[in-house]
Amino acid sequence: MSLFENIKPLIYKIDPETAHNIVELIFKTTRRCPLFFNWLIEKNFIDDPMLNQKIWNLEFKNPIGVAAGFDKNATMIPAWPVMGFGWGEIGAVTPIEQPGNEKPRSWRWVEHEAIQNAYGFNNDGMHIIKKRLEKIYPFVLPIGANIGKNKTTPEDKAIEDYKALVKTLNDVVDFFVINISSPNTPGLRDLLNAEFIAKLFSELKSLTKKPILIKFSPDMEDEMIINLANLSVLNGADGIIVTNTTVNYDLIETPVKKGGISGKPLTKRSFEVLRIVASEVFGKVPIISVGGIDSAEEAYKRIRMGASLLQIYTAIIYKGPSVVRDINLGLIELLKKDGFNHISEAIGVDIPKKLTKDEDAS
C-alpha cells in the first residue's frame, strides 16, 4: 500500500479547503529542499517522445495539465513538474482581488470520488498574480491563465474585465482561457450566448497574439453546445475546453444545492460533450478534455475522441500525487498496444464520421 493510501483517511478528516491550503504550504516548503524537489521531478515527470506535442507553437512534454482551481494564485507553478504535469492553468483570475463565497464552500463526497465547490473565484487579483508570474516567466512548462469577471461587475460591463485581464497578464502567460462557464459567479453562465462571444473574441483578439481558448459548461443543451462550438471557432477561438463543473446535483444526490460538482460523477457527461464538440470542430482547433479523468484508460478514451490535451484536479485528491505519472506511463503503453508511434496518431480516431449527402442518399 502506498504512503498516500495510508494517510488518505487522515486527509479526509480535514476540511477540503484546509487540506488544499496545507498542500500549497507543503509545495512552498519542498522548494527549499532542492535535492528532494529534483528527485520528485525525476520520479514523476514523464518526458517521452511519444507524448511530446507542439500546439500553438508551445512545447507540451506530456498531455496532462493541472486544471484551473488548483493553483488559483500562481503560487505552486514550480511544483507542477514535481507532480508530473506537462502544463497547467492558474486562476480563475479576476481584475480585482475577491474573497469568494462564504465558507464552507467545498465538500468532499468520498463515496462518489467527487468534489463540490462554491468558491466563487477567490483570488488575489490580477496585479498581485502578475508580480508572482514575472518572477518565473517564461517557465519550463506552458502556463495558461483562466480569466473571469469580478462578482460585482455587471454583465453589460463584463467585457471590460476580460480586456483588463488580457492586457495585464499578456506578457506573463502563454495562453488565456475565457471562463464564462463557472456556476459560482451569479450571471456568469448567462454570457454563454452568441452575441457576447462574438463581441468578446473581437475585442480580445485585438489585444493579444497569445492563444485564446473558451471553456464550456456541461449543463448546456446539446444543440447549444453545437452552436457555441462552431460560433467560437468562427469568431477566432484557438481552442475549446470541455468541461467545467456541473450543477446536476442528482448525480450524487447532494444535500448542498450550490456550487459545481467535479470528479467521477462528471465522467460520462464530460465525455459526451467532448464527443459533440469534436464531431463539430475537430481539426479546426485543438480540444482539451477535463472532467472525471482519473486513469490512463479514461485519458486514452478522450484522446481517441479528439482531445489533444487533458486536465485533472479531483483525481489527485482520490488517486494521490502519483496519478499524473501513472496516467502518462499508461498512455504510452496503450499507444504502443494499438500500434501508434506518437500520441498525434491516436487523437480523434474514434470520432464518428459524418455522412456526406451522397452517402446519405444511397
Side-chain angles (χ1 to χ4, degrees), residues 162-306:
Y162 290 99
K163 287 168 63 177
L165 286 156
V166 168
K167 287 178 183 176
T168 302
L169 301 176
N170 188 57
D171 295 333
V172 289
V173 298
D174 296 301
F175 62 92
F176 293 96
V177 178
I178 298 170
N179 192 336
I180 50 178
S181 56
S182 169
N184 298 323
T185 297
L188 189 68
R189 286 189 172 187
D190 295 338
L191 301 177
L192 277 166
N193 63 76
E195 183 181 357
F196 181 80
I197 288 175
K199 187 176 181 183
L200 181 62
F201 274 104
S202 174
E203 296 272 3
L204 298 187
K205 280 288 183 176
S206 68
L207 299 176
T208 183
K209 293 182 179 178
K210 301 282 176 79
I212 302 176
L213 288 64
I214 187 168
K215 191 169 188 176
F216 282 8
S217 160
D219 301 321
M220 298 187 292
E221 297 291 335
D222 292 358
E223 186 176 347
M224 186 179 182
I225 293 169
I226 291 170
N227 292 337
L228 286 181
N230 286 297
L231 183 75
S232 297
V233 173
L234 184 65
N235 283 282
D238 296 292
I240 297 175
I241 300 183
V242 287
T243 65
N244 214 313
T245 56
T246 179
V247 294
N248 180 4
Y249 302 126
D250 291 338
L251 287 173
I252 57 175
E253 298 179 353
T254 171
V256 184
K257 306 301 181 185
K258 60 181 177 179
I261 297 167
S262 63
K264 222 170 186 61
L266 186 55
T267 303
K268 183 178 178 181
R269 180 56 181 166
S270 180
F271 178 79
E272 177 64 14
V273 177
L274 168 65
R275 186 193 64 78
I276 295 168
V277 170
S279 296
E280 293 296 319
V281 301
F282 177 75
K284 297 178 181 177
V285 296
I287 303 168
I288 299 173
S289 185
V290 54
I293 300 170
D294 65 356
S295 67
E297 289 74 21
E298 185 63 35
Y300 189 49
K301 183 179 175 184
R302 307 292 178 99
I303 289 166
R304 291 180 63 102
M305 191 50 74

Side-chain angles (χ1 to χ4, degrees), residues 353-362:
K353 301 294 186 291
K354 289 186 177 181
L355 292 175
T356 64
K357 291 182 179 179
D358 291 341
E359 288 173 328
D360 193 39
S362 62

